[in-house]
Amino acid sequence: MIWLQLFYVYLKIGIFGFGGGYAMLSLIQSDVVDQYKWISLQEFTDIVAISQMTPGPIGINSATYIGYTAIHNAGYSQGMSILGSSLATFAVCLPSFILVLIISYFFSKFKNNKYVAAAFTGLRPATVGLIAAAALMLMNKENFIDYKSFLIFGAAFLLTWKFKVNPILMILLAGAAGIVLYW
Amino acid sequence: MYWTLFLTFVKIGTFTIGGGYAMLPLIQREVVDKGWLSKEDFIDLFSVAQSLPGIFAVNISIFVGYKLKKTLGSIVCALGTILPSFFIILAIALFFTGVKDNVWIEKAFKGLRPAVVALIAVPCLTTARSIKLSYAQMVIPIGAALLIWLGNMSPVWIILAAIIGGLYYGLKIKKY
């Protein structure tokens, strides 16, 4: 059952994941954390942090990690868990394959298609909402434990927004800040 | 040829941290400078890949692979992009459960988590700015965010509503 659910959830993420990695986060979270409870919100936040520091798209990273963890937490062996992570990664890429192969067939028609352009007048602003939802859903008591959390959030926001600090450096700085502040 | 394609995309998958758009200059350098695609073709692929759902880097690699070597080429290129992050994250998944309870790691992650929220909040604002939302249009992202956040609505419904609303607005009102 969990295998089917895992496949279904990541297939859905692959089909509806418009607007890039950050917009995909709320889609991943609403199923993986809220509905199926495969991982906690805190673990989800940790995966996003790890994704920022490691190569590759966040969609792949989350599929690989959550596929492993979901199967592992369901009581299966390590080998089966690796299979789970392969399944989720495969599922999230499958819709891309099908779509790209179809579109390659009539590429020139798709390129300046008025329906696609029209759909994006709605999708573009909605994407901003999806990213905002991802940020809002992570602002809870598990991630913001005391006033120090708000200090780190404020500093990280300012450094990224105003001074364009690189995300990897930001993660490293925040980790160091955590060690110092919670000494 | 397949081996070269595979290695090229392994390189692209390995050396781009931060995903998606960070990969673009590297993909362009590898694919256009090797003469596999013209610059115009690449820009076309890029704009179409952007309007598709799914993982942007994977979409681009499937497109390039298909253009060069049809279905097998697209599988080879996609695998090249996916495998480096797959193995790295798998290693972390195997290893992280063991170190998660280490006091130092725990403290570092207490600091990391609020910063992650900031790292998501900033692109939200920069995207809002880059698409030049009017005050009236702000209703869409604010409504969408509230419905998902407080209303527990699945983002899938928001996306479907956005597509339908966009089609109606674009075709009936703006008349593309």
Side-chain angles (χ1 to χ4, degrees):
Chain A
M1 198 55 202
I2 188 160
W3 298 89
L4 266 179
Q5 286 172 342
L6 193 64
F7 184 76
Y8 163 73
V9 163
Y10 271 93
L11 196 68
K12 197 162 81 177
I13 294 166
I15 295 171
F16 291 100
F18 285 98
Y22 289 116
M24 221 182 247
L25 285 179
S26 54
L27 208 61
I28 301 172
Q29 193 183 329
S30 88
D31 271 353
V32 166
V33 179
D34 298 344
Q35 202 186 339
Y36 292 101
K37 299 183 176 33
W38 287 326
I39 55 168
S40 70
L41 191 79
Q42 206 173 57
E43 269 182 285
F44 182 74
T45 317
D46 296 350
I47 296 168
V48 180
I50 291 168
S51 287
Q52 299 273 8
M53 290 187 287
T54 52
I58 202 157
I60 300 283
N61 292 349
S62 90
T64 306
Y65 191 94
I66 291 163
Y68 181 89
T69 315
I71 297 295
H72 188 75
N73 290 350
Y76 286 94
S77 70
Q78 210 167 59
M80 291 305 260
S81 307
I82 293 174
L83 205 63
S85 85
S86 315
L87 179 75
T89 311
F90 171 72
V92 79
C93 296
L94 188 62
S96 293
F97 262 104
I98 296 167
L99 272 173
V100 170
L101 295 188
I102 293 171
I103 286 167
S104 295
Y105 242 74
F106 39 96
F107 187 77
S108 49
K109 276 191 198 144
F110 189 84
K111 210 171 67 184
N112 298 310
N113 188 293
K114 64 175 181 175
Y115 296 101
V116 176
F120 266 85
T121 58
L123 271 174
R124 240 173 261 122
T127 301
V128 175
L130 293 180
I131 305 175
L136 288 168
M137 287 194 288
L138 295 183
M139 279 193 192
N140 74 341
K141 283 189 192 135
E142 285 179 53
N143 292 331
F144 286 74
I145 45 176
D146 53 19
Y147 73 94
K148 291 174 193 166
S149 309
F150 287 92
L151 276 179
I152 295 172
F153 171 78
F157 187 86
L158 210 70
L159 285 171
T160 317
W161 171 252
K162 286 286 168 206
F163 301 99
K164 312 265 179 284
V165 171
N166 173 300
I168 306 165
L169 181 62
M170 198 59 253
I171 293 281
L172 293 175
L173 285 174
I179 292 174
V180 173
L181 289 173
Y182 295 104
W183 191 268
Chain B
M1 179 65 182
Y2 288 112
W3 186 239
T4 323
L5 272 178
F6 179 72
L7 285 184
T8 304
F9 279 89
V10 164
K11 193 163 138 196
I12 291 167
T14 311
F15 290 105
T16 42
I17 301 182
Y21 296 89
M23 287 183 165
L24 203 72
L26 186 65
I27 301 178
Q28 184 169 356
R29 198 165 59 220
E30 291 291 332
V31 171
V32 176
D33 296 358
K34 279 187 179 145
W36 288 347
L37 285 180
S38 71
K39 190 142 192 225
E40 292 70 36
D41 278 349
F42 183 75
I43 291 168
D44 281 351
L45 282 186
F46 168 73
S47 65
V48 173
Q50 236 181 344
S51 54
L52 292 181
I55 296 151
F56 178 68
V58 174
N59 291 346
I60 277 271
S61 52
I62 297 173
F63 260 132
V64 172
Y66 187 82
K67 190 123 190 162
L68 294 171
K69 287 278 168 198
K70 299 293 165 197
T71 311
L72 190 58
S74 70
I75 293 171
V76 166
C77 289
L79 277 179
T81 308
I82 296 163
L83 287 181
S85 46
F86 178 79
F87 285 120
I88 290 167
I89 296 292
L90 201 58
I92 289 174
L94 289 165
F95 171 77
F96 190 58
T97 33
V99 296
K100 210 164 45 176
D101 300 325
N102 174 295
V103 237
W104 298 106
I105 301 276
E106 218 168 78
K107 287 181 204 300
F109 269 90
K110 275 184 187 165
L112 275 178
R113 291 182 191 121
V116 167
V117 180
L119 285 177
I120 301 170
V122 172
C124 174
L125 295 177
T126 45
T127 316
R129 200 182 252 185
S130 72
I131 64 172
K132 298 190 177 68
L133 284 177
S134 68
Y135 283 108
Q137 283 174 315
M138 295 277 219
V139 176
I140 301 171
I142 292 171
L146 289 177
L147 282 171
I148 297 170
W149 180 41
L150 297 176
N152 273 325
M153 189 184 257
S154 164
V156 169
W157 297 115
I158 303 288
I159 291 160
L160 287 174
I163 293 173
I164 294 165
L167 283 172
Y168 180 78
Y169 174 80
L171 299 173
K172 296 275 176 188
I173 299 172
K174 263 185 109 183
K175 303 216 191 298
Y176 276 121

